Amino acid sequence: MVESTEMSQSISSAASAAAWAAGAEAPKFRPRTTACLAGSEFEVEVAHHLADVDAPVAELDPRVEPRVYLRDAVAISLWTYYEPVGSEIAPIDYADVLRRHHAALRQIDLDAPHFTDRVAAALREVNNREQPS
């Protein structure tokens, strides 16, 4: 998914992101280490697996190859944009989507780190003052 708000603001559409991936001017966001790339690749892998079992999740953008693009130390994955459908979701509908999503997660075989390991890695990134921002 999108790695930061700054990146979201730098790339306004999948078309401009695809142009960047093909060689146009790079956005201003720079991942701090290869951990950012690995995290993006993991999210794309999860999306592929969940789409295969018809999970209720956002899909990668079908207009470009579904992968993580890397150029000049910038990693980006391109996702489908969905128009907002309203400000309120009925609790029963929200619960149903959450139930279906968790059922889909139980169907996929994925070597995933425990979420506390991912949180610890993110905290190391945030607290590492040696890395450029």
Side-chain angles (χ1 to χ4, degrees):
M1 296 217 174
V2 174
E3 295 293 327
S4 75
T5 303
E6 181 180 351
M7 182 181 280
S8 297
Q9 293 168 348
S10 297
I11 301 173
S12 60
S13 70
S16 63
W20 164 78
E25 182 178 334
K28 295 176 181 153
F29 176 76
R30 302 265 181 219
R32 294 166 62 124
T33 68
T34 55
C36 291
L37 176 59
S40 296
E41 289 172 338
F42 177 73
E43 289 178 353
V44 168
E45 181 182 3
V46 171
H48 282 294
H49 287 292
L50 288 173
D52 289 344
V53 295
D54 295 321
V57 296
E59 296 178 358
L60 291 156
D61 195 315
R63 298 173 289 181
V64 295
E65 183 181 344
R67 65 180 180 89
V68 176
Y69 291 86
L70 181 64
R71 184 172 150 232
D72 297 329
V74 177
I76 183 172
S77 52
L78 305 175
W79 297 80
T80 299
Y81 173 77
Y82 297 92
E83 289 286 337
V85 293
S87 60
E88 295 284 330
I89 298 174
I92 191 77
D93 294 333
Y94 188 89
D96 181 58
V97 169
L98 190 59
R99 180 194 56 76
R100 290 187 296 127
H101 181 72
H102 280 238
L105 286 169
R106 287 190 296 274
Q107 293 179 43
I108 64 174
D109 184 24
L110 189 64
D111 185 23
H114 195 274
F115 76 93
T116 56
D117 294 337
R118 292 188 75 194
V119 169
L123 288 173
R124 281 192 301 275
E125 289 290 316
V126 170
N127 293 324
N128 185 351
R129 298 182 190 277
E130 304 277 322
Q131 292 287 332
S133 53

